[in-house]
Amino acid sequence: MMMVRLNTRHELPQIAMRTTQGRLDESGIIQPQSQGRNQQARSNKTVTQPANLSIDSYPSRKSYGFRNMTDFTAERGQRGISDAQAATSRHAQEGWSRATNGARRGNDVVQGIKSEIFSDYQARPVFTTNAIPDPQMQGYQSEVIGEPDLGDVTVDIQTEPNARIHYTLGSVETYLQNEGFIRHWVSVDNYDIYA
């Protein structure tokens, strides 16, 4: 027995859109103009060099024993005079003592000379402590001189009150790209899948 089959084929409708974007003409925009003055600040300052600097360290060196020739010869000359006076006085006293007591019994001149010679070896050293004076310094110290320049930064911006702008409107258009369809037909004994 033959069977009749109902075949159906369909396609949905499709909607499409066509768009045009809006456009802004930039050539109509007036850019602001700036004019100004830019003078950088300057310190205009300088430092003077120290001048007429003199350092007298002689008092400090003299306390350590480093003397100049003038002081050295003056000190040695004075010491020579005092040593000569002391030696002259001592020799005179010894001469008078030997002249008056030399012939007496028990007066050993040689023993006295020996004891005088060896007394110098038994003498103990004497140390003194003195303050060391500071060096004397004189001169003019360095100074900062000059007046600063504060500079000047001035900016003048010129703008137009209105912009000349041309704007083109965009658009959206919809249309039916495919209308779609529904079809029916019959076939015998099986479905028509190739139709």
Side-chain angles (χ1 to χ4, degrees):
M1 172 172 194
M2 296 181 77
M3 286 197 68
V4 177
R5 311 262 183 203
L6 177 62
N7 295 296
T8 303
R9 183 171 180 192
H10 69 87
E11 188 174 294
L12 296 175
Q14 295 177 348
I15 298 175
M17 298 175 70
R18 187 178 297 118
T19 62
T20 304
Q21 294 184 351
R23 190 176 65 192
L24 178 65
D25 186 6
E26 296 180 358
S27 63
I29 298 176
I30 301 172
Q31 297 294 330
Q33 302 290 327
S34 67
Q35 296 177 349
R37 181 171 181 248
N38 186 1
Q39 179 183 352
Q40 296 296 321
R42 296 176 182 264
S43 68
N44 291 335
K45 296 248 180 212
T46 185
V47 178
T48 61
Q49 295 295 323
N52 299 332
L53 181 63
S54 63
I55 300 174
D56 184 13
S57 62
Y58 182 66
S60 300
R61 290 187 290 117
K62 185 177 178 181
S63 65
Y64 282 110
F66 297 102
R67 295 179 293 280
N68 60 18
M69 191 54 69
T70 304
D71 287 345
F72 181 74
T73 54
E75 181 183 326
R76 290 298 174 184
Q78 185 65 33
R79 183 174 175 184
I81 292 172
S82 64
D83 287 350
Q85 289 173 349
T88 303
S89 174
R90 189 182 77 220
H91 290 313
Q93 288 176 2
E94 289 176 358
W96 280 110
S97 173
R98 289 196 178 100
T100 56
N101 300 325
R104 292 186 185 169
R105 187 177 282 198
N107 187 9
D108 189 1
V109 177
V110 176
Q111 186 64 29
I113 292 173
K114 282 185 180 178
S115 66
E116 184 180 337
I117 291 173
F118 287 110
S119 68
D120 290 340
Y121 291 109
Q122 295 174 358
R124 294 190 180 182
V126 177
F127 296 102
T128 58
T129 304
N130 294 326
I132 298 172
D134 292 330
Q136 303 293 325
M137 297 195 310
Q138 294 178 350
Y140 296 101
Q141 62 184 0
S142 60
E143 296 178 347
V144 178
I145 58 173
E147 291 295 325
D149 182 7
L150 300 178
D152 183 18
V153 177
T154 306
V155 178
D156 182 19
I157 300 175
Q158 310 251 337
T159 59
E160 293 292 330
N162 297 317
R164 293 192 302 264
I165 298 174
H166 179 69
Y167 180 70
T168 303
L169 292 175
S171 63
V172 177
E173 176 187 355
T174 59
Y175 60 93
L176 188 61
Q177 185 175 4
N178 190 354
E179 293 182 0
F181 60 87
I182 297 176
R183 293 190 196 139
H184 301 287
W185 70 92
V186 291
S187 59
V188 179
D189 282 339
N190 56 3
Y191 287 106
D192 187 4
I193 60 173
Y194 298 108

